[in-house]
């Protein structure tokens, strides 16, 4: 994910701020695209003019189109399906975890949301997804 | 890893399997490592009643009998198995393999580092990520029971 965009789908301003701060610290600020709703995120992904992101960070409890609906939409779209989606959630609800992995999430992380813990978590996410190869996703 | 269930390694190369085992030991990963030698062998293990479901599958791609991509095709369409995260661990950096694996919902695609030190680093990162991330525990209705009855328990 070295030089490719990262799509953050997050409707809570405070959480978005915390995550963006951590991403900035990790040198990923200018590559981060923030969509405040799942609908806008889908629109962004489906627009041919945009480079497809290397990774999607998805807030599970998002208003409007839900996190699960977004996952389902992405994973049933042949052009988007290969993009890994990591769920960020505020609960450890077993059913939410099962449903997310059932819809092919590539991780489910309970938000640790003070700055230090967020930085720690995002550092691990960055390290793992930099180690992992990612599909080139030619639109 | 996040929990103490086994990690299933699907790998036909004995040396590579030993390297994973050694890395687990050096990193003090306490999850039991179950080693199967190809996709068919792994499926048999996964479908055996007596086997404890793994929390994670580490999958090689180039294997005889049933290769990694064929294995993914079966596992990711089986409702009982599809939720188990699968991380590819291979020597192939071919774009076709990467794309096909992600289309089949892998949760990571890692090229085996040749050098042991880098190999341990890679395993360390995998372990960290799958400790941070929740891992689904498939279980029929019984609330909060343990994944398997403890050995010797009544």
């Amino acid at each position: 994910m070295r030089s490719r965009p990262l799509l953050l789908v997050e409707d809570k301003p405070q959480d978005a701020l915390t995550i963006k701060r951590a991403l900035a610290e990790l040198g990923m600020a200018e590559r981060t695209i923030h969509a405040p709703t799942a609908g806008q995120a889908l629109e962004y992904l489906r627009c041919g003019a945009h480079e497809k992101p290397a990774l999607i960070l998805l807030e599970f409890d998002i208003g409007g189109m839900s996190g699960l609906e977004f996952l389902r939409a992405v994973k049933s779209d042949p052009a988007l399906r290969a993009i890994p989606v990591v769920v960020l959630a505020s609960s450890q609800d077993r059913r939410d975890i099962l449903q997310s992995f059932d819809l092919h999430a590539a991780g489910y992380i309970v938000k640790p949301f003070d700055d230090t813990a967020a930085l720690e978590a995002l550092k691990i996410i960055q390290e793992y997804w930099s180690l992992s190869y990612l599909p080139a996703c030619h639109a | 890893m996040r929990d103490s269930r086994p990690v299933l390694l699907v790998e036909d190369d004995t040396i590579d399997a030993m390297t994973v085992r050694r890395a687990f030991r050096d990193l003090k990963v306490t999850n039991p490592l179950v080693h199967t030698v190809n996709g068919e062998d792994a499926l048999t293990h996964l479908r055996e009643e007596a086997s404890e479901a793994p929390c994670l599958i580490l999958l090689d791609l180039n294997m005889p009998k049933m290769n990694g991509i064929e294995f993914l095709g079966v596992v990711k369409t089986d409702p009982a198995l599809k939720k188990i995260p699968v991380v590819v661990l291979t020597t192939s950096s071919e774009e076709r393999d990467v794309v096909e694996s992600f289309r089949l919902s892998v949760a990571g695609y890692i090229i085996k580092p040749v050098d042991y030190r880098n190999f341990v680093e890679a395993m360390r990162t995998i372990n960290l990520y799958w400790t941070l991330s929740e891992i689904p525990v498939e279980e029929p209705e019984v609330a909060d029971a343990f994944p398997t009855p403890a050995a010797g328990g009544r």
Side-chain angles (χ1 to χ4, degrees):
Chain A
M1 68 187 250
R2 287 152 192 96
S3 56
R4 305 209 349 240
L6 171 84
L7 177 60
L8 170 66
V9 191
E10 172 66 83
D11 64 338
K12 292 160 192 63
Q14 189 54 51
D15 289 358
L17 205 67
T18 309
I19 296 169
K20 284 202 253 183
R21 241 188 330 247
L23 289 171
E25 198 131 340
L26 294 167
M28 303 193 341
E30 60 304 346
R31 294 191 274 125
T32 304
I33 296 132
H34 175 210
T37 70
Q40 277 168 273
L42 260 190
E43 231 169 83
Y44 176 87
L45 289 167
R46 286 180 173 153
C47 169
H50 297 138
E51 185 186 356
K52 298 274 181 286
L55 186 71
I56 301 172
L57 296 179
L58 170 68
E59 158 69 52
F60 187 85
D61 305 296
I62 200 163
M65 179 192 226
S66 76
L68 282 178
E69 284 165 344
F70 174 81
L71 252 182
R72 192 173 290 119
V74 167
K75 295 302 175 182
S76 55
D77 184 330
L80 305 176
R81 167 175 183 96
I83 306 171
V85 179
V86 176
V87 170
L88 304 175
S90 35
S91 92
Q92 257 177 320
D93 187 292
R94 234 190 45 205
R95 205 151 3 122
D96 291 349
I97 299 170
L98 280 170
Q99 283 184 310
S100 299
F101 279 94
D102 193 53
L103 287 169
H104 315 292
Y108 182 106
I109 289 149
V110 176
K111 287 186 186 172
F113 274 176
D114 63 272
D115 282 350
T116 323
L119 180 61
E120 198 48 48
L122 283 159
K123 202 191 262 173
I124 293 173
I125 295 173
Q126 184 197 35
E127 213 177 291
Y128 180 80
W129 290 107
S130 302
L131 172 70
S132 175
Y133 273 50
L134 290 160
C137 283
H138 312 286
Chain B
M1 309 291 158
R2 184 93 201 166
D3 59 53
S4 59
R5 287 175 293 165
V7 171
L8 176 63
L9 173 67
V10 192
E11 170 66 78
D12 64 327
D13 187 303
T14 321
I15 306 287
D16 283 354
M18 274 167 57
T19 310
V20 174
R21 200 173 287 282
R22 183 173 155 209
F24 264 48
R25 201 180 50 226
D26 288 350
L27 292 164
K28 302 190 167 54
V29 176
T30 51
N31 301 67
L33 187 68
V34 177
H35 176 209
T36 54
V37 294
N38 59 52
E40 215 174 86
D41 189 21
L43 269 183
T44 309
H45 171 81
L46 287 167
R47 287 177 171 160
E48 219 159 81
E49 288 273 337
S51 316
E52 186 179 356
C55 63
L56 188 72
I57 299 175
L58 297 175
L59 176 69
D60 185 24
L61 289 187
N62 301 312
M63 295 176 295
K65 281 197 182 168
M66 181 189 270
N67 70 32
I69 298 288
E70 290 164 335
F71 172 79
L72 279 170
V74 178
V75 165
K76 291 301 179 183
T77 48
D78 182 331
L81 304 175
K82 65 182 285 202
K83 299 186 197 75
I84 307 170
V86 180
V87 177
V88 170
L89 199 57
T90 180
T91 47
S92 162
S93 55
E94 270 183 58
E95 182 60 22
R96 201 178 23 150
D97 283 336
V98 181
V99 172
E100 204 44 40
S101 298
F102 277 98
R103 283 182 174 279
L104 288 165
S105 308
V106 296
Y109 187 106
I110 288 146
I111 307 289
K112 290 176 194 163
V114 183
D115 167 82
Y116 181 69
R117 228 170 353 140
N118 294 332
F119 193 92
V120 172
E121 260 321 288
M123 293 304 300
R124 193 188 64 89
T125 303
I126 294 172
N127 184 43
L128 273 179
Y129 182 79
W130 291 106
T131 301
L132 173 71
S133 174
E134 302 289 329
I135 302 181
V137 179
E138 191 87 61
E139 232 193 297
E141 303 318 290
V142 195
D144 292 327
F146 238 67
T148 52
R154 304 192 303 126

